[in-house]
């Protein structure tokens, strides 16, 4: 899996389908990086530590996507939380073993 470094964060270069497959197989925690997160990561140590604990970090911002093109490492797809949640639900809707927990929603 390719990673794209923007400032002090490595963004996983995954599309929605690939992320769904990896989560189904291995589990994990997904953070969806946006410009606000990127700015907080520069100054907030605890926020940075939480980000480091995430299994997957996806691009949730057209601005970060454009930055990745500028850095000559284009992000495959913008995978925002608001788009990923319904995809995750649809992917697992018939799986009784999958539980969804929303924090701060």
């Amino acid at each position: 899996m390719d990673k794209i470094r923007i400032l002090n964060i490595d963004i996983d270069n995954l599309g929605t389908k690939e992320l769904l497959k990896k989560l189904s197989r291995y589990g994990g925690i997904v953070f969806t990086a946006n410009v606000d997160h990127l700015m907080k990561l520069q100054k907030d140590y605890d926020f940075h530590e939480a980000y480091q604990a995430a299994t997957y970090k996806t691009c949730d911002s057209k601005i970060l996507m454009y930055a990745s093109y500028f850095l000559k490492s284009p992000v495959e797809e913008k995978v925002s939380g608001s788009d990923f949640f319904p995809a995750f639900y649809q992917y697992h809707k018939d799986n009784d073993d999958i539980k969804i927990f929303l924090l701060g929603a």
Side-chain angles (χ1 to χ4, degrees):
M1 165 177 46
D2 293 336
K3 293 184 183 282
I4 296 158
R5 187 136 185 106
I6 300 179
L7 294 179
N8 63 342
I9 181 174
D10 291 322
I11 296 174
D12 297 304
N13 198 5
L14 295 169
T16 301
K17 290 179 182 177
E18 187 178 358
L19 181 56
L20 285 167
K21 288 177 187 175
K22 285 185 176 289
L23 281 172
S24 295
R25 188 170 200 173
Y26 307 112
I29 298 169
V30 179
F31 280 20
T32 56
N34 58 38
V35 174
D36 180 52
H37 288 188
L38 197 63
M39 293 300 101
K40 285 181 183 176
L41 285 165
Q42 306 313 306
K43 297 180 181 181
D44 188 330
Y45 177 78
D46 293 332
F47 192 62
H48 185 269
E49 288 299 303
Y51 246 85
Q52 297 311 308
T55 314
Y56 304 103
K57 297 168 213 74
T58 65
C59 178
D60 186 0
S61 166
K62 283 285 189 184
I63 294 170
L64 294 185
M65 192 171 200
Y66 295 141
S68 76
Y69 281 96
F70 178 75
L71 295 170
K72 301 202 181 341
S73 297
V75 172
E76 178 181 327
E77 179 184 341
K78 181 174 95 54
V79 182
S80 61
S82 60
D83 295 330
F84 186 70
F85 179 74
F88 183 86
Y89 170 78
Q90 286 298 319
Y91 191 83
H92 293 289
K93 68 182 177 185
D94 297 322
N95 186 344
D96 291 333
D97 293 332
I98 297 295
K99 306 293 184 231
I100 297 174
F101 174 76
L102 300 176
L103 176 64

